[in-house]
Amino acid sequence: MTAPAQQARQQISAPPFAVVPGAQVQQALAGREKQVVELVESVYRLHGAGDSVNPPSYFLRFTDRPTSRIIALPASIGGSVHVDGLKWISSFPGNVSAGIPRASAVLILNDHDTGYPFACLESSIISATRTAASAALAADRLTRHRPGAPRPVRVGFFGTGLIARYIHTFLAATGWSFDEIAIHDLSIDSAAGFRTYLEQSGTPGRITVHDSAEELIRASDMVVFATIAAEPHVTDPAWFTHNPLVLHISLRDLAPEIVLASANIVDDVEHCLKANTSPHLAEQLTGNRDFLTGTLDDVIAGRTTLPADRTVVFSPFGLGVLDLAVGKYVYDEIARTGELQVIDDFFHELRRYG
């Protein structure tokens, strides 16, 4: 063995393995919305420049539980984050009626040099955080790059669960303030709960719960879709004649006819145009992708300008690289405080020949 090879072998070792529970994740992220949005923007730039690996998500579905699924999102990100990993997130809508959240998740971070996992983090908070940060970033950048269109002052939340709450938090923390906030949810209790949350958090502006989707959309300059819809349920393009900005976070709410009548921004073309998302249905209907205006990275980089006289729809599939970046941020913050919960001897067989 050569001297450089021996030196490299001596320098590489299995990292310690830490478990990061949800309370620590939440503490590490609390009040850092602006920093997380900046982080998410930097990851979009890295992804756009090709400094990432983000293969297709893998869906585990069940014949006996057709509404439920578990998704694996493997990814690798370069830059200063420099980490590999996997998010494993489940969606069981029946949980809601039992009084527990629909989604649960863990995130595994892998060491860049050895491939060894070095952390397992509770990730429903990380997932909601990166989703909300992406939405807040898109709201800002899509508004900036839409010459002639006024900044939205009326926001509507269609779907009022955890993701809607996180998106509202990130919008407020990044400088958004609205004269009117509209709410619509198929669950009366969920709509009432979201309204109570807004009132107790001191949110300015008039809050209105709408009985119909049409009322909410027509009353909003910016519409946030955060539902669990499996197929399009908003079908009339006439509801969008005022050309709002639409944050289509749940991806399957809009009929393809609405997509085709809009300017469409996605986070990643190949990821978004699959699994029967609304943009995927539009592609199936037309046989082409001409309805796509560009990606969020195109908008951030100034390669794409958006029209003021058409509805603008942002449809993010949700990239695993965002989870990795936010998860690594959390890990680094906790490591900095010396509060990592390390599992001693988690890896047992560390000698090749015993």
Side-chain angles (χ1 to χ4, degrees):
M1 185 179 294
T2 64
Q6 287 178 331
Q7 185 178 8
R9 182 177 175 179
Q10 292 170 355
Q11 290 175 345
I12 294 177
S13 61
F17 185 80
V19 174
V20 182
Q24 281 191 311
V25 172
Q26 191 168 57
Q27 184 178 12
L29 292 171
R32 294 182 169 94
E33 290 85 3
K34 291 182 179 179
Q35 294 96 314
V36 174
V37 170
E38 291 172 358
L39 174 63
V40 165
E41 180 175 354
S42 70
V43 172
Y44 276 128
R45 289 181 178 272
L46 286 171
H47 184 65
D51 194 5
S52 66
V53 181
N54 206 107
S57 302
Y58 297 90
F59 288 73
L60 177 61
R61 299 186 184 276
F62 315 96
T63 55
D64 61 331
R65 293 156 287 168
T67 63
S68 300
R69 65 181 187 266
I70 307 179
I71 311 172
L73 288 81
S76 175
I77 186 71
S80 61
V81 181
H82 212 51
V83 72
D84 313 322
L86 172 79
K87 180 171 79 169
W88 181 240
I89 182 167
S90 67
S91 174
F92 279 53
N95 289 351
V96 176
S97 61
I100 60 176
R102 170 187 60 86
S104 58
V106 294
L107 178 70
I108 300 295
L109 300 180
N110 292 75
D111 179 65
H112 177 274
D113 295 326
T114 66
Y116 270 76
F118 64 86
C120 176
L121 300 91
E122 195 287 330
S123 196
S124 64
I125 296 170
I126 290 171
S127 186
T129 295
R130 64 86 153 149
T131 299
S134 173
L137 174 66
D140 177 60
R141 293 305 184 135
L142 298 182
T143 300
R144 285 196 212 178
H145 291 269
R146 200 179 179 193
R151 185 176 172 89
V153 295
R154 303 177 302 163
V155 65
F157 288 91
F158 194 144
T160 56
L162 178 73
I163 297 300
R165 175 161 61 85
Y166 268 75
I167 291 174
H168 171 264
T169 297
F170 268 78
L171 288 172
T174 53
W176 288 87
S177 180
F178 301 97
D179 297 336
E180 299 180 28
I181 300 176
I183 299 170
H184 175 69
D185 198 292
L186 296 181
S187 166
I188 296 175
D189 290 341
S190 294
F194 190 63
R195 178 171 193 161
T196 299
Y197 153 74
L198 292 174
E199 292 171 343
Q200 291 180 345
S201 63
T203 301
R206 184 175 66 182
I207 303 169
T208 305
V209 176
H210 291 275
D211 294 330
S212 73
E214 179 179 1
E215 288 178 0
L216 176 131
I217 292 167
R218 290 187 182 276
S220 305
D221 307 318
M222 181 163 70
V223 183
V224 179
F225 283 97
T227 74
I228 56 171
E231 59 186 23
H233 54 98
V234 176
T235 59
D236 191 345
W239 297 358
F240 298 84
T241 53
H242 58 303
N243 302 320
L245 170 62
V246 177
L247 303 180
H248 188 209
I249 306 304
S250 35
L251 284 175
R252 295 173 177 85
D253 303 274
L254 303 178
E257 291 78 12
I258 295 172
V259 173
L260 295 174
S262 306
N264 292 279
I265 300 297
V266 298
D267 55 355
D268 182 280
V269 174
E270 296 302 327
H271 281 75
C272 195
L273 271 68
K274 62 177 57 176
N276 288 329
T277 63
S278 295
H280 188 206
L281 295 179
E283 180 188 31
Q284 295 175 50
L285 183 64
T286 62
N288 62 63
R289 299 177 173 183
D290 296 344
F291 59 89
L292 290 179
T293 308
T295 67
L296 184 56
D297 180 58
D298 291 330
V299 175
I300 292 171
R303 294 187 294 268
T304 297
T305 300
L306 301 167
D309 59 352
R310 294 174 69 195
T311 296
V312 173
V313 177
F314 174 56
S315 298
F317 194 82
L319 301 177
V321 288
L322 299 181
D323 295 280
L324 286 187
V326 175
K328 184 59 162 48
Y329 176 86
V330 168
Y331 177 89
D332 289 343
E333 283 295 307
I334 298 172
R336 182 179 56 80
T337 65
E339 296 178 355
L340 278 177
Q341 299 182 32
V342 174
I343 309 300
D344 292 328
D345 300 323
F346 183 82
F347 298 108
H348 179 59
E349 287 282 1
L350 291 176
R351 292 187 177 184
R352 188 174 182 184
Y353 298 110

